[in-house]
Amino acid sequence: MTQQLVFTAPRRALPPRHLADLDPAGRAAAVAELGLPAFRANQLAHHYYGRLIADPQQMTDLPAGVRAAVADALFPTLLTAASEIECDAGETRKTLWRAHDHTKFESVLMRYPRRNTVCISSQAGCGMACPFCATGQAGLTRNLSTAEILEQVRAAAVELRDRDHGRLSNIVFMGMGEPLANYARVVAAVRRITEPPPNGFGISARSVTVSTVGLAPAIRKLADEGLGVTLALSLHTPDDELRDTLVPVNNRWKVDEALDAARYYADVTGRRVSVEYALIRDVNDQPWRADLLGRKLHKTLGQLVHVNLIPLNPTPGSDWDASPKPVEREFVRRVRAQGVECTVRDTRGREIAAACGQLAADSE
């Protein structure tokens, strides 16, 4: 029997219960506890998911006499913006959130001509210890609750709506943390992101991406959930020798195991897998690694894969740096020569330290 590693967050005070933590049965029970009619459960959920309202004082169809009690029981303030910073002519906004226990984590809202994307955190910090990642070097503080994850989504949707009548279209779990190490809460959040009101925000599953450094059993489990979201595998090198250092979880699940799990995900869901590859100067950008990456992906995933090459966003004080553009172009050419689609990610937010973990680290 294969032994699975369990990534346990340090014990911290749990966030207070929030409506967004609850499924329909939980909402019904919570409303009953307050002595309210059963129909109030759907009414509150419509306000939260459909109208993006989290303050019962603004719920005018709720009796004034019960609004305070509802606020205390189901709408505690979970997140406060500790810092916000913009770049790209206001098209990129990074928010440092402070939770009830003063834990800090980040989200980034990015506006594009045909889509609006929010990159959200699933943990405060990260326990994966990847040396080129600011969050990984900071360590894991704790898992986020389902509601703390969803509040990042709601905040982005509200900002887009109020600022320019925009609509949130894409969500990527690529902020702080390893999403599949906070599996149950992330899956619950994805269900509420994709289900229509009153049970969720109604965002297409095809517009939601969940990233992982390669927790192979959890990838297979996610495939069986029937969610239909995009899986992004943060591979960063095709060989075990280097990946054992760049992505320490590789010491437990090797490259081939992670790719086999990704193939299972693609087969079960019918969705193409995105392979993330942070290109680091003189570390993982050699031509032979591009060739090996292309061969392995073509053999394992065929046409069900796309390589997303990421120019490394250096963190302050780090020796890691992005590869030169000619090296980047040659890497792309070699991967494509193996029959695998490969593109370079449009980088955003370099001047505001938008590599996740930097803003939180700078604030300490």
Side-chain angles (χ1 to χ4, degrees), residues 95-131:
T95 302
L96 174 66
W97 298 106
R98 181 183 292 113
H100 77 289
D101 58 354
H102 303 289
T103 296
K104 293 176 182 176
F105 49 91
E106 304 158 11
S107 65
V108 182
L109 177 59
M110 295 162 283
R111 295 176 178 82
Y112 296 94
R114 288 180 293 277
R115 71 184 188 278
N116 294 306
T117 300
V118 64
C119 177
I120 60 175
S121 296
S122 55
Q123 296 179 310
C126 183
M128 299 297 104
C130 300

PDB file of all heavy atoms in Angstrom, residues 95-131:
ATOM      1  N   THR A  95      -3.428  42.787  -3.521  1.00  0.00           N
ATOM      2  CA  THR A  95      -3.960  43.083  -2.197  1.00  0.00           C
ATOM      3  C   THR A  95      -3.338  42.141  -1.175  1.00  0.00           C
ATOM      4  O   THR A  95      -3.310  40.926  -1.373  1.00  0.00           O
ATOM      5  CB  THR A  95      -5.487  42.919  -2.163  1.00  0.00           C
ATOM      6  OG1 THR A  95      -6.083  43.774  -3.147  1.00  0.00           O
ATOM      7  CG2 THR A  95      -6.043  43.285  -0.794  1.00  0.00           C
ATOM      8  N   LEU A  96      -2.846  42.717  -0.111  1.00  0.00           N
ATOM      9  CA  LEU A  96      -2.396  41.952   1.043  1.00  0.00           C
ATOM     10  C   LEU A  96      -3.541  41.940   2.053  1.00  0.00           C
ATOM     11  O   LEU A  96      -3.963  42.989   2.535  1.00  0.00           O
ATOM     12  CB  LEU A  96      -1.154  42.589   1.667  1.00  0.00           C
ATOM     13  CG  LEU A  96      -0.667  41.960   2.982  1.00  0.00           C
ATOM     14  CD1 LEU A  96      -0.177  40.539   2.744  1.00  0.00           C
ATOM     15  CD2 LEU A  96       0.442  42.808   3.602  1.00  0.00           C
ATOM     16  N   TRP A  97      -4.048  40.744   2.327  1.00  0.00           N
ATOM     17  CA  TRP A  97      -5.178  40.591   3.239  1.00  0.00           C
ATOM     18  C   TRP A  97      -4.691  40.248   4.640  1.00  0.00           C
ATOM     19  O   TRP A  97      -3.736  39.491   4.805  1.00  0.00           O
ATOM     20  CB  TRP A  97      -6.112  39.486   2.752  1.00  0.00           C
ATOM     21  CG  TRP A  97      -6.731  39.720   1.418  1.00  0.00           C
ATOM     22  CD1 TRP A  97      -6.418  39.107   0.235  1.00  0.00           C
ATOM     23  CD2 TRP A  97      -7.787  40.642   1.113  1.00  0.00           C
ATOM     24  NE1 TRP A  97      -7.203  39.582  -0.782  1.00  0.00           N
ATOM     25  CE2 TRP A  97      -8.063  40.523  -0.271  1.00  0.00           C
ATOM     26  CE3 TRP A  97      -8.528  41.542   1.888  1.00  0.00           C
ATOM     27  CZ2 TRP A  97      -9.042  41.277  -0.902  1.00  0.00           C
ATOM     28  CZ3 TRP A  97      -9.500  42.297   1.256  1.00  0.00           C
ATOM     29  CH2 TRP A  97      -9.753  42.167  -0.119  1.00  0.00           C
ATOM     30  N   ARG A  98      -5.387  40.792   5.639  1.00  0.00           N
ATOM     31  CA  ARG A  98      -5.140  40.424   7.034  1.00  0.00           C
ATOM     32  C   ARG A  98      -6.375  39.713   7.554  1.00  0.00           C
ATOM     33  O   ARG A  98      -7.489  40.244   7.474  1.00  0.00           O
ATOM     34  CB  ARG A  98      -4.830  41.653   7.895  1.00  0.00           C
ATOM     35  CG  ARG A  98      -4.533  41.297   9.361  1.00  0.00           C
ATOM     36  CD  ARG A  98      -4.309  42.530  10.217  1.00  0.00           C
ATOM     37  NE  ARG A  98      -3.078  43.214   9.842  1.00  0.00           N
ATOM     38  CZ  ARG A  98      -3.032  44.414   9.286  1.00  0.00           C
ATOM     39  NH1 ARG A  98      -4.161  45.059   9.003  1.00  0.00           N
ATOM     40  NH2 ARG A  98      -1.883  44.976   8.986  1.00  0.00           N
ATOM     41  N   ALA A  99      -6.188  38.509   8.087  1.00  0.00           N
ATOM     42  CA  ALA A  99      -7.294  37.716   8.602  1.00  0.00           C
ATOM     43  C   ALA A  99      -7.558  38.043  10.069  1.00  0.00           C
ATOM     44  O   ALA A  99      -6.871  38.871  10.669  1.00  0.00           O
ATOM     45  CB  ALA A  99      -6.989  36.229   8.436  1.00  0.00           C
ATOM     46  N   HIS A 100      -8.551  37.353  10.657  1.00  0.00           N
ATOM     47  CA  HIS A 100      -8.958  37.634  12.031  1.00  0.00           C
ATOM     48  C   HIS A 100      -7.825  37.427  13.027  1.00  0.00           C
ATOM     49  O   HIS A 100      -7.775  38.088  14.074  1.00  0.00           O
ATOM     50  CB  HIS A 100     -10.135  36.726  12.401  1.00  0.00           C
ATOM     51  CG  HIS A 100      -9.723  35.327  12.716  1.00  0.00           C
ATOM     52  ND1 HIS A 100      -9.279  34.454  11.742  1.00  0.00           N
ATOM     53  CD2 HIS A 100      -9.655  34.657  13.898  1.00  0.00           C
ATOM     54  CE1 HIS A 100      -8.969  33.291  12.308  1.00  0.00           C
ATOM     55  NE2 HIS A 100      -9.186  33.385  13.599  1.00  0.00           N
ATOM     56  N   ASP A 101      -6.908  36.514  12.718  1.00  0.00           N
ATOM     57  CA  ASP A 101      -5.792  36.201  13.620  1.00  0.00           C
ATOM     58  C   ASP A 101      -4.507  36.898  13.190  1.00  0.00           C
ATOM     59  O   ASP A 101      -3.420  36.511  13.621  1.00  0.00           O
ATOM     60  CB  ASP A 101      -5.574  34.683  13.676  1.00  0.00           C
ATOM     61  CG  ASP A 101      -5.297  34.090  12.291  1.00  0.00           C
ATOM     62  OD1 ASP A 101      -5.388  34.830  11.286  1.00  0.00           O
ATOM     63  OD2 ASP A 101      -5.003  32.880  12.217  1.00  0.00           O
ATOM     64  N   HIS A 102      -4.635  37.908  12.336  1.00  0.00           N
ATOM     65  CA  HIS A 102      -3.521  38.703  11.804  1.00  0.00           C
ATOM     66  C   HIS A 102      -2.652  37.931  10.812  1.00  0.00           C
ATOM     67  O   HIS A 102      -1.592  38.416  10.416  1.00  0.00           O
ATOM     68  CB  HIS A 102      -2.664  39.284  12.933  1.00  0.00           C
ATOM     69  CG  HIS A 102      -3.451  40.141  13.891  1.00  0.00           C
ATOM     70  ND1 HIS A 102      -3.946  41.381  13.544  1.00  0.00           N
ATOM     71  CD2 HIS A 102      -3.858  39.901  15.164  1.00  0.00           C
ATOM     72  CE1 HIS A 102      -4.615  41.885  14.577  1.00  0.00           C
ATOM     73  NE2 HIS A 102      -4.582  41.004  15.565  1.00  0.00           N
ATOM     74  N   THR A 103      -3.074  36.733  10.427  1.00  0.00           N
ATOM     75  CA  THR A 103      -2.422  36.022   9.337  1.00  0.00           C
ATOM     76  C   THR A 103      -2.537  36.842   8.059  1.00  0.00           C
ATOM     77  O   THR A 103      -3.552  37.493   7.818  1.00  0.00           O
ATOM     78  CB  THR A 103      -3.098  34.651   9.122  1.00  0.00           C
ATOM     79  OG1 THR A 103      -2.896  33.862  10.294  1.00  0.00           O
ATOM     80  CG2 THR A 103      -2.520  33.924   7.929  1.00  0.00           C
ATOM     81  N   LYS A 104      -1.508  36.805   7.226  1.00  0.00           N
ATOM     82  CA  LYS A 104      -1.506  37.590   5.991  1.00  0.00           C
ATOM     83  C   LYS A 104      -1.363  36.692   4.773  1.00  0.00           C
ATOM     84  O   LYS A 104      -0.617  35.706   4.787  1.00  0.00           O
ATOM     85  CB  LYS A 104      -0.377  38.614   6.015  1.00  0.00           C
ATOM     86  CG  LYS A 104      -0.566  39.702   7.071  1.00  0.00           C
ATOM     87  CD  LYS A 104       0.625  40.631   7.120  1.00  0.00           C
ATOM     88  CE  LYS A 104       0.443  41.696   8.209  1.00  0.00           C
ATOM     89  NZ  LYS A 104       1.644  42.553   8.326  1.00  0.00           N
ATOM     90  N   PHE A 105      -2.079  37.046   3.726  1.00  0.00           N
ATOM     91  CA  PHE A 105      -1.971  36.351   2.452  1.00  0.00           C
ATOM     92  C   PHE A 105      -2.418  37.308   1.363  1.00  0.00           C
ATOM     93  O   PHE A 105      -2.925  38.390   1.640  1.00  0.00           O
ATOM     94  CB  PHE A 105      -2.791  35.052   2.443  1.00  0.00           C
ATOM     95  CG  PHE A 105      -4.206  35.202   2.921  1.00  0.00           C
ATOM     96  CD1 PHE A 105      -5.225  35.479   2.034  1.00  0.00           C
ATOM     97  CD2 PHE A 105      -4.513  35.060   4.266  1.00  0.00           C
ATOM     98  CE1 PHE A 105      -6.530  35.618   2.464  1.00  0.00           C
ATOM     99  CE2 PHE A 105      -5.820  35.196   4.712  1.00  0.00           C
ATOM    100  CZ  PHE A 105      -6.826  35.478   3.813  1.00  0.00           C
ATOM    101  N   GLU A 106      -2.253  36.882   0.106  1.00  0.00           N
ATOM    102  CA  GLU A 106      -2.385  37.819  -1.008  1.00  0.00           C
ATOM    103  C   GLU A 106      -3.315  37.324  -2.100  1.00  0.00           C
ATOM    104  O   GLU A 106      -3.525  36.131  -2.264  1.00  0.00           O
ATOM    105  CB  GLU A 106      -1.001  38.052  -1.640  1.00  0.00           C
ATOM    106  CG  GLU A 106       0.043  38.523  -0.666  1.00  0.00           C
ATOM    107  CD  GLU A 106       1.451  38.225  -1.160  1.00  0.00           C
ATOM    108  OE1 GLU A 106       1.598  37.854  -2.347  1.00  0.00           O
ATOM    109  OE2 GLU A 106       2.391  38.356  -0.377  1.00  0.00           O
ATOM    110  N   SER A 107      -3.847  38.273  -2.840  1.00  0.00           N
ATOM    111  CA  SER A 107      -4.521  37.966  -4.104  1.00  0.00           C
ATOM    112  C   SER A 107      -4.144  39.055  -5.101  1.00  0.00           C
ATOM    113  O   SER A 107      -3.762  40.164  -4.705  1.00  0.00           O
ATOM    114  CB  SER A 107      -6.045  37.891  -3.935  1.00  0.00           C
ATOM    115  OG  SER A 107      -6.575  39.146  -3.564  1.00  0.00           O
ATOM    116  N   VAL A 108      -4.232  38.713  -6.382  1.00  0.00           N
ATOM    117  CA  VAL A 108      -3.875  39.665  -7.442  1.00  0.00           C
ATOM    118  C   VAL A 108      -4.987  39.670  -8.481  1.00  0.00           C
ATOM    119  O   VAL A 108      -5.354  38.620  -9.010  1.00  0.00           O
ATOM    120  CB  VAL A 108      -2.532  39.297  -8.114  1.00  0.00           C
ATOM    121  CG1 VAL A 108      -2.178  40.334  -9.182  1.00  0.00           C
ATOM    122  CG2 VAL A 108      -1.416  39.195  -7.082  1.00  0.00           C
ATOM    123  N   LEU A 109      -5.514  40.850  -8.769  1.00  0.00           N
ATOM    124  CA  LEU A 109      -6.548  41.021  -9.782  1.00  0.00           C
ATOM    125  C   LEU A 109      -5.907  41.599 -11.030  1.00  0.00           C
ATOM    126  O   LEU A 109      -5.228  42.632 -10.969  1.00  0.00           O
ATOM    127  CB  LEU A 109      -7.641  41.955  -9.272  1.00  0.00           C
ATOM    128  CG  LEU A 109      -8.770  42.292 -10.256  1.00  0.00           C
ATOM    129  CD1 LEU A 109      -9.499  41.030 -10.707  1.00  0.00           C
ATOM    130  CD2 LEU A 109      -9.742  43.287  -9.626  1.00  0.00           C
ATOM    131  N   MET A 110      -6.122  40.934 -12.169  1.00  0.00           N
ATOM    132  CA  MET A 110      -5.506  41.342 -13.428  1.00  0.00           C
ATOM    133  C   MET A 110      -6.576  41.536 -14.491  1.00  0.00           C
ATOM    134  O   MET A 110      -7.344  40.616 -14.777  1.00  0.00           O
ATOM    135  CB  MET A 110      -4.492  40.282 -13.886  1.00  0.00           C
ATOM    136  CG  MET A 110      -3.312  40.139 -12.941  1.00  0.00           C
ATOM    137  SD  MET A 110      -2.393  38.575 -13.169  1.00  0.00           S
ATOM    138  CE  MET A 110      -3.515  37.421 -12.328  1.00  0.00           C
ATOM    139  N   ARG A 111      -6.622  42.728 -15.055  1.00  0.00           N
ATOM    140  CA  ARG A 111      -7.565  43.032 -16.131  1.00  0.00           C
ATOM    141  C   ARG A 111      -6.877  42.875 -17.471  1.00  0.00           C
ATOM    142  O   ARG A 111      -5.779  43.393 -17.689  1.00  0.00           O
ATOM    143  CB  ARG A 111      -8.083  44.468 -15.988  1.00  0.00           C
ATOM    144  CG  ARG A 111      -8.907  44.725 -14.742  1.00  0.00           C
ATOM    145  CD  ARG A 111      -9.274  46.206 -14.673  1.00  0.00           C
ATOM    146  NE  ARG A 111     -10.111  46.516 -13.534  1.00  0.00           N
ATOM    147  CZ  ARG A 111      -9.657  46.729 -12.300  1.00  0.00           C
ATOM    148  NH1 ARG A 111      -8.352  46.654 -12.063  1.00  0.00           N
ATOM    149  NH2 ARG A 111     -10.476  47.017 -11.316  1.00  0.00           N
ATOM    150  N   TYR A 112      -7.534  42.166 -18.370  1.00  0.00           N
ATOM    151  CA  TYR A 112      -7.052  41.989 -19.742  1.00  0.00           C
ATOM    152  C   TYR A 112      -8.157  42.461 -20.687  1.00  0.00           C
ATOM    153  O   TYR A 112      -9.295  42.638 -20.273  1.00  0.00           O
ATOM    154  CB  TYR A 112      -6.721  40.521 -20.003  1.00  0.00           C
ATOM    155  CG  TYR A 112      -5.584  39.981 -19.165  1.00  0.00           C
ATOM    156  CD1 TYR A 112      -5.836  39.331 -17.952  1.00  0.00           C
ATOM    157  CD2 TYR A 112      -4.262  40.103 -19.581  1.00  0.00           C
ATOM    158  CE1 TYR A 112      -4.795  38.831 -17.181  1.00  0.00           C
ATOM    159  CE2 TYR A 112      -3.224  39.600 -18.819  1.00  0.00           C
ATOM    160  CZ  TYR A 112      -3.494  38.967 -17.621  1.00  0.00           C
ATOM    161  OH  TYR A 112      -2.469  38.468 -16.862  1.00  0.00           O
ATOM    162  N   PRO A 113      -7.830  42.649 -21.968  1.00  0.00           N
ATOM    163  CA  PRO A 113      -8.852  43.146 -22.905  1.00  0.00           C
ATOM    164  C   PRO A 113     -10.113  42.285 -22.969  1.00  0.00           C
ATOM    165  O   PRO A 113     -11.216  42.801 -23.098  1.00  0.00           O
ATOM    166  CB  PRO A 113      -8.107  43.148 -24.255  1.00  0.00           C
ATOM    167  CG  PRO A 113      -6.672  43.355 -23.883  1.00  0.00           C
ATOM    168  CD  PRO A 113      -6.490  42.610 -22.597  1.00  0.00           C
ATOM    169  N   ARG A 114      -9.968  40.950 -22.873  1.00  0.00           N
ATOM    170  CA  ARG A 114     -11.138  40.086 -23.043  1.00  0.00           C
ATOM    171  C   ARG A 114     -11.426  39.203 -21.824  1.00  0.00           C
ATOM    172  O   ARG A 114     -12.261  38.301 -21.903  1.00  0.00           O
ATOM    173  CB  ARG A 114     -10.965  39.215 -24.286  1.00  0.00           C
ATOM    174  CG  ARG A 114     -11.089  39.995 -25.592  1.00  0.00           C
ATOM    175  CD  ARG A 114     -10.919  39.105 -26.795  1.00  0.00           C
ATOM    176  NE  ARG A 114      -9.562  38.597 -26.887  1.00  0.00           N
ATOM    177  CZ  ARG A 114      -8.544  39.273 -27.434  1.00  0.00           C
ATOM    178  NH1 ARG A 114      -8.744  40.489 -27.921  1.00  0.00           N
ATOM    179  NH2 ARG A 114      -7.347  38.740 -27.483  1.00  0.00           N
ATOM    180  N   ARG A 115     -10.743  39.450 -20.722  1.00  0.00           N
ATOM    181  CA  ARG A 115     -11.023  38.674 -19.521  1.00  0.00           C
ATOM    182  C   ARG A 115     -10.513  39.422 -18.296  1.00  0.00           C
ATOM    183  O   ARG A 115      -9.660  40.314 -18.405  1.00  0.00           O
ATOM    184  CB  ARG A 115     -10.370  37.291 -19.586  1.00  0.00           C
ATOM    185  CG  ARG A 115      -8.855  37.288 -19.457  1.00  0.00           C
ATOM    186  CD  ARG A 115      -8.279  35.897 -19.635  1.00  0.00           C
ATOM    187  NE  ARG A 115      -6.858  35.833 -19.330  1.00  0.00           N
ATOM    188  CZ  ARG A 115      -5.878  36.171 -20.144  1.00  0.00           C
ATOM    189  NH1 ARG A 115      -6.180  36.622 -21.355  1.00  0.00           N
ATOM    190  NH2 ARG A 115      -4.618  36.080 -19.790  1.00  0.00           N
ATOM    191  N   ASN A 116     -11.043  39.048 -17.145  1.00  0.00           N
ATOM    192  CA  ASN A 116     -10.585  39.585 -15.864  1.00  0.00           C
ATOM    193  C   ASN A 116     -10.287  38.395 -14.961  1.00  0.00           C
ATOM    194  O   ASN A 116     -11.158  37.556 -14.717  1.00  0.00           O
ATOM    195  CB  ASN A 116     -11.651  40.464 -15.221  1.00  0.00           C
ATOM    196  CG  ASN A 116     -11.920  41.720 -16.030  1.00  0.00           C
ATOM    197  OD1 ASN A 116     -11.008  42.475 -16.347  1.00  0.00           O
ATOM    198  ND2 ASN A 116     -13.175  41.948 -16.392  1.00  0.00           N
ATOM    199  N   THR A 117      -9.061  38.326 -14.479  1.00  0.00           N
ATOM    200  CA  THR A 117      -8.588  37.164 -13.739  1.00  0.00           C
ATOM    201  C   THR A 117      -8.173  37.558 -12.337  1.00  0.00           C
ATOM    202  O   THR A 117      -7.494  38.569 -12.147  1.00  0.00           O
ATOM    203  CB  THR A 117      -7.387  36.523 -14.460  1.00  0.00           C
ATOM    204  OG1 THR A 117      -7.771  36.119 -15.769  1.00  0.00           O
ATOM    205  CG2 THR A 117      -6.868  35.318 -13.687  1.00  0.00           C
ATOM    206  N   VAL A 118      -8.544  36.734 -11.351  1.00  0.00           N
ATOM    207  CA  VAL A 118      -8.026  36.924 -10.006  1.00  0.00           C
ATOM    208  C   VAL A 118      -7.215  35.690  -9.628  1.00  0.00           C
ATOM    209  O   VAL A 118      -7.635  34.556  -9.839  1.00  0.00           O
ATOM    210  CB  VAL A 118      -9.145  37.189  -8.971  1.00  0.00           C
ATOM    211  CG1 VAL A 118     -10.091  36.005  -8.801  1.00  0.00           C
ATOM    212  CG2 VAL A 118      -8.536  37.586  -7.622  1.00  0.00           C
ATOM    213  N   CYS A 119      -6.027  35.947  -9.132  1.00  0.00           N
ATOM    214  CA  CYS A 119      -5.141  34.896  -8.635  1.00  0.00           C
ATOM    215  C   CYS A 119      -5.293  34.876  -7.120  1.00  0.00           C
ATOM    216  O   CYS A 119      -5.031  35.890  -6.455  1.00  0.00           O
ATOM    217  CB  CYS A 119      -3.702  35.194  -9.040  1.00  0.00           C
ATOM    218  SG  CYS A 119      -2.488  34.019  -8.404  1.00  0.00           S
ATOM    219  N   ILE A 120      -5.740  33.750  -6.567  1.00  0.00           N
ATOM    220  CA  ILE A 120      -6.083  33.696  -5.148  1.00  0.00           C
ATOM    221  C   ILE A 120      -5.190  32.721  -4.391  1.00  0.00           C
ATOM    222  O   ILE A 120      -4.601  31.800  -4.965  1.00  0.00           O
ATOM    223  CB  ILE A 120      -7.568  33.322  -4.941  1.00  0.00           C
ATOM    224  CG1 ILE A 120      -7.871  31.945  -5.544  1.00  0.00           C
ATOM    225  CG2 ILE A 120      -8.466  34.402  -5.529  1.00  0.00           C
ATOM    226  CD1 ILE A 120      -9.298  31.472  -5.270  1.00  0.00           C
ATOM    227  N   SER A 121      -5.121  32.929  -3.085  1.00  0.00           N
ATOM    228  CA  SER A 121      -4.352  32.073  -2.190  1.00  0.00           C
ATOM    229  C   SER A 121      -5.253  31.023  -1.558  1.00  0.00           C
ATOM    230  O   SER A 121      -6.435  31.273  -1.304  1.00  0.00           O
ATOM    231  CB  SER A 121      -3.689  32.909  -1.091  1.00  0.00           C
ATOM    232  OG  SER A 121      -2.741  33.807  -1.625  1.00  0.00           O
ATOM    233  N   SER A 122      -4.681  29.857  -1.291  1.00  0.00           N
ATOM    234  CA  SER A 122      -5.398  28.788  -0.594  1.00  0.00           C
ATOM    235  C   SER A 122      -4.805  28.508   0.768  1.00  0.00           C
ATOM    236  O   SER A 122      -5.409  27.812   1.586  1.00  0.00           O
ATOM    237  CB  SER A 122      -5.386  27.508  -1.433  1.00  0.00           C
ATOM    238  OG  SER A 122      -4.062  27.144  -1.756  1.00  0.00           O
ATOM    239  N   GLN A 123      -3.611  29.023   1.024  1.00  0.00           N
ATOM    240  CA  GLN A 123      -2.961  28.896   2.323  1.00  0.00           C
ATOM    241  C   GLN A 123      -2.266  30.216   2.643  1.00  0.00           C
ATOM    242  O   GLN A 123      -1.964  31.002   1.738  1.00  0.00           O
ATOM    243  CB  GLN A 123      -1.914  27.776   2.311  1.00  0.00           C
ATOM    244  CG  GLN A 123      -2.476  26.371   2.083  1.00  0.00           C
ATOM    245  CD  GLN A 123      -1.374  25.327   2.049  1.00  0.00           C
ATOM    246  OE1 GLN A 123      -0.384  25.486   1.338  1.00  0.00           O
ATOM    247  NE2 GLN A 123      -1.552  24.252   2.817  1.00  0.00           N
ATOM    248  N   ALA A 124      -2.016  30.440   3.916  1.00  0.00           N
ATOM    249  CA  ALA A 124      -1.148  31.538   4.318  1.00  0.00           C
ATOM    250  C   ALA A 124       0.254  30.950   4.418  1.00  0.00           C
ATOM    251  O   ALA A 124       0.534  30.126   5.281  1.00  0.00           O
ATOM    252  CB  ALA A 124      -1.584  32.111   5.667  1.00  0.00           C
ATOM    253  N   GLY A 125       1.116  31.353   3.482  1.00  0.00           N
ATOM    254  CA  GLY A 125       2.405  30.702   3.370  1.00  0.00           C
ATOM    255  C   GLY A 125       2.288  29.418   2.576  1.00  0.00           C
ATOM    256  O   GLY A 125       1.267  29.132   1.958  1.00  0.00           O
ATOM    257  N   CYS A 126       3.350  28.618   2.597  1.00  0.00           N
ATOM    258  CA  CYS A 126       3.350  27.359   1.852  1.00  0.00           C
ATOM    259  C   CYS A 126       4.386  26.428   2.464  1.00  0.00           C
ATOM    260  O   CYS A 126       5.472  26.871   2.856  1.00  0.00           O
ATOM    261  CB  CYS A 126       3.669  27.614   0.374  1.00  0.00           C
ATOM    262  SG  CYS A 126       3.605  26.116  -0.644  1.00  0.00           S
ATOM    263  N   GLY A 127       4.045  25.153   2.528  1.00  0.00           N
ATOM    264  CA  GLY A 127       4.951  24.171   3.106  1.00  0.00           C
ATOM    265  C   GLY A 127       5.768  23.403   2.091  1.00  0.00           C
ATOM    266  O   GLY A 127       6.482  22.473   2.454  1.00  0.00           O
ATOM    267  N   MET A 128       5.698  23.791   0.803  1.00  0.00           N
ATOM    268  CA  MET A 128       6.374  23.018  -0.228  1.00  0.00           C
ATOM    269  C   MET A 128       7.861  23.348  -0.356  1.00  0.00           C
ATOM    270  O   MET A 128       8.620  22.585  -0.939  1.00  0.00           O
ATOM    271  CB  MET A 128       5.678  23.206  -1.578  1.00  0.00           C
ATOM    272  CG  MET A 128       4.217  22.738  -1.610  1.00  0.00           C
ATOM    273  SD  MET A 128       3.981  20.964  -1.321  1.00  0.00           S
ATOM    274  CE  MET A 128       3.379  20.974   0.383  1.00  0.00           C
ATOM    275  N   ALA A 129       8.273  24.505   0.142  1.00  0.00           N
ATOM    276  CA  ALA A 129       9.697  24.872   0.279  1.00  0.00           C
ATOM    277  C   ALA A 129      10.463  24.942  -1.039  1.00  0.00           C
ATOM    278  O   ALA A 129      11.666  24.692  -1.075  1.00  0.00           O
ATOM    279  CB  ALA A 129      10.400  23.904   1.236  1.00  0.00           C
ATOM    280  N   CYS A 130       9.801  25.317  -2.130  1.00  0.00           N
ATOM    281  CA  CYS A 130      10.514  25.506  -3.396  1.00  0.00           C
ATOM    282  C   CYS A 130      11.458  26.711  -3.258  1.00  0.00           C
ATOM    283  O   CYS A 130      11.008  27.802  -2.879  1.00  0.00           O
ATOM    284  CB  CYS A 130       9.529  25.722  -4.538  1.00  0.00           C
ATOM    285  SG  CYS A 130       8.383  24.337  -4.767  1.00  0.00           S
ATOM    286  N   PRO A 131      12.743  26.558  -3.533  1.00  0.00           N
ATOM    287  CA  PRO A 131      13.717  27.605  -3.186  1.00  0.00           C
ATOM    288  C   PRO A 131      13.607  28.887  -3.992  1.00  0.00           C
ATOM    289  O   PRO A 131      14.099  29.931  -3.551  1.00  0.00           O
ATOM    290  CB  PRO A 131      15.066  26.915  -3.434  1.00  0.00           C
ATOM    291  CG  PRO A 131      14.764  25.842  -4.429  1.00  0.00           C
ATOM    292  CD  PRO A 131      13.385  25.364  -4.103  1.00  0.00           C
TER     293      PRO A 131
END
